[in-house]
Amino acid sequence: MIKRIDATEKAVELINILKEKHGDLMFYQAGGCCEGTQPQCFEKGGYYQRMGDVCIGTVEDVEFWVDKDLFEYWKHAHFTLTVIDAFGVGGFSLETPLKKTFQIEYRIFTPEEEKDLEPVFRIE
């Protein structure tokens, strides 16, 4: 099965730092105008997903949720979670006090990959 999301080594390191400090985590990738490449990291349960939102997989056992409309737009793309040294939009994400920002890089799946993608989970 082909994963829909992976993470860079730096992103994994930051996730583990945040898990030590905050416990179980979750990511949410909204579809708004300002945060299209900036997923938000919350304590698990700290953000309430909407009906139809999609969990595309996990990174370090942390669920990665995507807004239902954004998923429809990017369902043929692989997500790579990265991190940069910067203060992100809004400042709601748990990495903000560390002067870090999670970001997503996208690439389109190949036709071969499309045939073997991991299933997603939707809130019904």
Side-chain angles (χ1 to χ4, degrees):
M1 301 291 290
I2 303 297
K3 292 183 69 168
R4 293 175 179 269
I5 183 161
D6 285 304
T8 63
E9 201 172 298
K10 286 177 81 174
V12 168
E13 289 172 10
L14 183 54
I15 289 168
N16 288 323
I17 289 168
L18 294 173
K19 284 169 77 173
E20 281 183 29
K21 185 172 183 174
H22 299 283
D24 291 338
L25 305 173
M26 66 179 288
F27 283 98
Y28 188 80
Q29 179 83 40
C33 65
C34 299
E35 63 278 306
T37 60
Q38 185 182 348
Q40 301 290 303
C41 183
F42 301 101
E43 292 178 1
K44 189 169 185 171
Y47 183 87
Y48 297 104
Q49 303 94 320
R50 300 177 306 154
M51 296 298 282
D53 284 348
V54 180
C55 181
I56 63 168
T58 62
V59 175
E60 294 296 296
D61 296 321
V62 177
E63 292 176 345
F64 194 98
W65 290 88
V66 178
D67 169 85
K68 62 183 178 179
D69 297 325
L70 185 68
F71 177 74
E72 284 305 310
Y73 187 78
W74 285 106
K75 65 184 171 186
H76 301 288
H78 178 272
F79 288 42
T80 300
L81 184 66
T82 65
V83 65
I84 60 171
D85 294 325
F87 182 79
V89 177
F92 299 113
S93 196
L94 292 176
E95 78 278 7
T96 301
L98 302 175
K99 298 181 181 169
K100 306 280 185 193
T101 298
F102 285 110
Q103 284 189 322
I104 289 294
E105 295 175 355
Y106 305 95
R107 73 166 175 81
I108 302 301
F109 288 117
T110 66
E112 294 78 28
E113 289 174 321
E114 285 269 355
K115 295 175 187 172
D116 196 30
L117 292 175
E118 283 186 335
V120 297
F121 173 77
R122 291 179 189 264
I123 296 179
E124 302 293 332

